[in-house]
Amino acid sequence: MRGIVERMRSAVVRLKEWGGVALDLAYPRVCAGCGSPDPAAGRFLCWDCLSRVEFIQPPFCELCGDPVGGRIGHAYHCALCSGRRVYFDRARSAARYDGPIGRMIRDFKYNGHLWLVEDLADFLVAAVRSHFEETSFDAVVGVPLHWTKLRARGFNQSEWLAAALARRLRLPIARRCVRRIRADPTQTHLTAEKRAANVLGAFATQWNRWIDGRRFLLVDDVMTTGATVNECSRALKMGGAASVYVVTVARG
Ligand SMILES: [Zn+2]
Ligand SMILES: [Zn+2]
């Protein structure tokens, strides 16, 4: 059986070969993973770095996609999902956060390397094609930032990723149908329980008549415990969404 990792990797390579040709004409590129001057695997990633990307493969939690070691034949729910109400239908990530992927995401998000968006979108496209093959969507939506954070960062990385993914999947992007109504302190050093409490009630929807009955693909850069995407999914479901599937580039 051709594994999911092989399928994802070759999907990413195919996508990058296309994008790389156009960019070569535009300006010289270096690898975003290691700085090598020949990112031949595509736009901004070299073969070596691509080979070091750890694609996420089964077995994993059926709900949140958190990978688990060993062999599991039955439908498995992780301890976190067993102990919480899960509002998204499924969540899946393309790769582990470590290594070149983490570096790309940090450069994209904190250093404003916005040209990495298409490379990161390659991983999202590969994840959607591999994990949500049989699922249909009506719209793509990025996890919103609170306006104070948006002003400080200058852009919303999730919305950029959502827009790139929507374009590639030829789906509409739903902007501003869900808003972040509270500026929460950063989640990085919190436990799973505290993360969930931290984002409780952080999102609100508008234009619920538009949301009603629609199937959403919710996009974020990184997912750790899934507290943020779960809360965002809760708002969308309360607003009438028929389904919310979550895809992220990386799993922290
Ligand atoms: Zn490299
Ligand atoms: Zn889980």
Side-chain angles (χ1 to χ4, degrees), residues 3 5 11 14 24 38 49 59 72 77 86 96 103 108 114 128 135 138 148-150 170 181-182 193 206 224 230 246:
V5 170
R14 272 201 309 280
D24 261 347
D38 183 26
C49 286
I72 290 176
H77 291 181
V86 178
R96 299 242 189 212
R103 186 166 167 189
F108 176 62
L114 297 177
V128 170
T135 315
D138 299 309
T148 52
K149 222 171 197 175
L150 185 62
R170 294 175 199 281
I181 52 172
R182 228 182 41 223
E193 219 167 61
Q206 54 190 5
T224 307
N230 198 30
V246 177

Side-chain angles (χ1 to χ4, degrees), residues 61-66 77-82 84 251:
C61 169
E62 195 189 18
L63 294 171
C64 76
D66 194 28
H77 291 181
C78 71
L80 200 58
C81 288
S82 306
R84 67 179 170 187
R251 185 89 201 195

